[in-house]
Amino acid sequence: MKIASVILAAGQGTRMKSSLPKMLHRVCGKPMLQHALEAARSASDQTPVVVVGHGAEQVQKAVAGVQFVVQEQQLGTGHAVMQAENALKGQADYVIVTYGDMPLLRPETVQKLVDAQLKNPGSMSLLTVIAENPRGFGRIARHADGTVAAIIEEAVASPEQLQLRELNVGAYCFNADWLWGALHRIQVSPKGEYYLTDTVEIAVKDGLPVQAVVLDDMEETIGVNNRIHLAEAEAAMRCRINQRHMLNGVTIIQPESTFIEAGVTVGADSVLWPNTYLQGSTTIGNGCQIGPDSHIRDTKIGDACRVFKSVLEGAVLEDGVDMGPFARLRPGAHLGKHVHMGNFGEVKDSYLGEGVKMGHFSYVGNATIGANVNIGAGTITCNYDGVKKSPTVIGEDAFIGSDTMLVAPVTIGARARTGAGAIVTKDVPDDMLAVGMPARAIKKLERKLQE
Ligand code: UD1
Ligand code: CA
């Protein structure tokens, strides 16, 4: 049994009023098209076909692992599916069709739809929902015996038809051979479009029963046509993600103020405090305390860490790290086990060995710091001379006195010490004490003439 999927993503999304194609607007950190793709993929066993048109190049760059077909002119959803015919004809027994602007549709729901069609003697099944607010959706008309008769688009519906409260969600499963023929039989609408929804009437004419799977969760059907819908989708997805983590053993003190993107993982018995943002590819181990007021992006955090009111990006924290409040890790910061980093510290592109203590007001960049080093308050690695970055190396068990300036490139030996306020411009050997300020006028700077 070959089950293919087609995702429609060629529309302009005019109502978004955006230079970014609608499909690439993000919902919980992922382009909405990506969410739609994941749902389709789980129910199909073939590479999904994505129909692109508006902003095709941008969309093609943003999404991987799919086959793209281009719909040059957007002549409607029926016309869009037709563009996939060459790619799929003879390749599939069934074809799932979904719309790229419906990020909340669950994989299980698409599976239900496929299961319904596998049992249907007719040629197609579709998802419907019963709702008071029709949101511009197509209306489902049923025959007196309860079988599906037609989908009537809002633009062409009569006043009585507008009263119908069963709505077309916009997800279908077709018998492939029948679909390719039916698409060519769709008549152009008064608005000049070929509606995919007209396939229902074609099936009925062919005497083939149309199967409807009625959804009870309206939330899954949120379609994004403007930025109000985008915010609704974001809120619904956020709630869903938070619930998934809570059911997996994560404590979330206040879900409404906890923002976890779709690709993040959090271990059991971790506690997330309010106003915390976990973004990108962040992973958090077990038994951590994260937040409040923390932003963490693309960062790997081990077990039993504490991150309190801090900002982290592209960093690695091994087990038992304790940091904050007001600490900042920039890309390439790697804190070994049990590192302690207190307030107003910044680390980038540096390794801090196990047990390093950096309590107050420090900047560490392009540095490699051995185990159990103490970085005194106000220590700075002067890693940039205005042209290039240079490295600082500190051996294990060294003690860097308060307010030390480490003028890179420079190496401090193991167990060495620097006195308070030292300005270190030359390497300090192992076990040595270095003090003092070498700063003195050595040459007149040349003035650069402005052009
Ligand atoms: C569509 C359905 C409607 C359903 C609603 C659910 C049709 C005719 N109508 O209406 O019954 O209730 O979705 O959300 O199908 N697209 C293309 N090429 C085109 C036109 C559209 O790829 O030529 C894509 C769009 O990018 C979008 C999807 O198809 O992802 C749906 O198009 P849209 O214009 O949003 O349809 P709706 O008016 O929402
Ligand atoms: Ca839509």
Side-chain angles (χ1 to χ4, degrees):
M1 192 74 61
K2 287 188 189 156
I3 301 172
S5 65
V6 177
I7 293 100
L8 305 190
Q12 184 170 12
T14 327
R15 287 166 283 174
M16 295 296 283
K17 308 236 166 91
S18 176
S19 58
L20 186 71
K22 176 166 92 173
M23 296 301 153
L24 298 186
H25 280 263
R26 287 171 183 267
V27 174
C28 291
K30 258 193 224 168
M32 66 173 102
L33 175 59
Q34 195 72 48
H35 291 284
L37 268 169
E38 278 163 25
R41 249 196 207 113
S42 74
S44 136
D45 47 12
Q46 317 253 304
T47 306
V49 175
V50 177
V51 183
V52 289
H54 268 280
E57 274 178 31
Q58 270 173 287
V59 178
Q60 279 165 300
K61 263 191 223 139
V63 178
V66 305
Q67 183 180 0
F68 289 102
V69 298
V70 179
Q71 183 191 24
E72 296 289 352
Q73 264 187 301
Q74 284 73 56
L75 299 179
T77 46
H79 180 259
V81 178
M82 221 185 266
Q83 312 310 307
E85 183 176 344
N86 282 340
L88 289 178
K89 206 169 183 173
Q91 306 292 311
D93 303 303
Y94 292 90
V95 179
I96 303 164
V97 178
T98 56
Y99 299 159
D101 62 357
M102 300 192 46
L104 285 135
L105 201 58
R106 290 179 191 270
E108 307 88 273
T109 305
V110 179
Q111 188 60 54
K112 259 192 221 163
L113 174 66
V114 171
D115 292 343
Q117 182 53 22
L118 292 179
K119 283 190 228 117
N120 182 11
S123 55
M124 67 181 286
S125 296
L126 59 112
L127 282 183
T128 70
V129 68
I130 295 166
E132 271 319 300
N133 176 1
R135 301 172 66 101
F137 281 21
R139 310 296 203 273
I140 305 290
R142 292 201 181 235
H143 292 122
D145 66 358
T147 58
V148 177
I151 302 174
I152 303 132
E153 288 306 302
E154 193 169 87
V156 298
S158 68
E160 296 93 81
Q161 288 170 326
L162 286 176
Q163 297 308 310
L164 294 167
R165 282 298 169 266
E166 187 177 4
L167 312 174
N168 175 36
V169 170
Y172 319 81
C173 183
F174 297 96
N175 285 2
D177 291 342
W178 180 85
L179 172 66
W180 308 126
L183 291 173
H184 293 277
R185 293 156 65 193
I186 297 174
Q187 303 286 310
V188 68
S189 80
K191 286 200 152 181
E193 288 195 34
Y194 296 86
Y195 293 148
L196 180 63
T197 45
D198 284 356
T199 51
V200 172
E201 278 177 89
I202 294 170
V204 170
K205 252 185 228 145
D206 288 351
L208 298 165
V210 174
Q211 188 72 40
V213 176
V214 186
L215 260 182
D216 39 23
D217 182 5
M218 184 69 196
E219 182 193 277
E220 277 195 62
T221 70
I222 294 176
V224 177
N225 293 324
N226 60 38
R227 299 204 198 212
I228 297 175
H229 303 152
L230 183 65
E232 283 172 12
E234 176 84 20
M237 182 68 81
R238 186 199 317 150
C239 182
R240 194 186 276 185
I241 290 171
N242 285 349
Q243 288 181 357
R244 167 163 59 84
H245 289 294
M246 290 187 276
L247 291 174
N248 284 340
V250 177
T251 295
I252 301 183
I253 303 287
Q254 189 187 44
E256 314 86 82
S257 69
T258 304
F259 302 80
I260 310 176
E261 288 187 351
V264 170
T265 63
V266 187
D269 287 327
S270 285
V271 178
L272 308 180
W273 292 84
N275 196 26
T276 286
Y277 298 75
L278 306 180
Q279 302 175 318
S281 60
T282 294
T283 65
I284 294 177
N286 297 321
C288 293
Q289 296 280 331
I290 308 290
D293 307 324
S294 295
H295 278 62
I296 304 177
R297 170 172 285 284
D298 300 332
T299 290
K300 189 171 182 308
I301 297 182
D303 297 335
C305 291
R306 187 174 84 118
V307 176
F308 182 52
K309 296 199 183 212
S310 293
V311 176
L312 286 62
E313 183 177 2
V316 175
L317 279 63
E318 295 182 20
D319 297 347
V321 166
D322 171 38
M323 62 183 295
F326 318 121
R328 177 162 185 220
L329 297 183
R330 290 167 50 207
H334 181 157
L335 309 192
K337 282 186 188 159
H338 303 291
V339 164
H340 166 71
M341 191 174 159
N343 42 224
F344 308 111
E346 174 181 341
V347 175
K348 73 117 202 176
D349 249 332
S350 294
Y351 174 71
L352 275 59
E354 185 167 345
V356 166
K357 290 194 173 54
M358 174 176 161
H360 335 264
F361 317 109
S362 284
Y363 170 64
V364 169
N366 305 88
T368 308
I369 301 181
N372 302 315
V373 167
N374 185 87
I375 310 271
T379 295
I380 287 177
T381 56
C382 309
N383 61 331
Y384 185 53
D385 60 8
V387 181
K388 61 178 191 312
K389 304 277 169 66
S390 300
T392 298
V393 177
I394 304 179
E396 58 185 26
D397 298 311
F399 185 96
I400 308 299
S402 293
D403 214 18
T404 297
M405 302 293 124
L406 299 160
V407 182
V410 72
T411 298
I412 308 287
R415 298 168 305 279
R417 294 177 78 97
T418 66
I423 297 184
V424 183
T425 56
K426 295 201 186 76
D427 292 354
V428 177
D430 292 354
D431 303 294
M432 284 289 275
L433 171 64
V435 299
M437 294 204 291
R440 51 206 162 88
I442 50 169
K443 73 164 187 175
K444 196 151 186 296
L445 296 170
E446 278 172 42
R447 276 176 80 172
K448 270 194 202 133
L449 292 175
Q450 300 283 326
E451 275 148 306

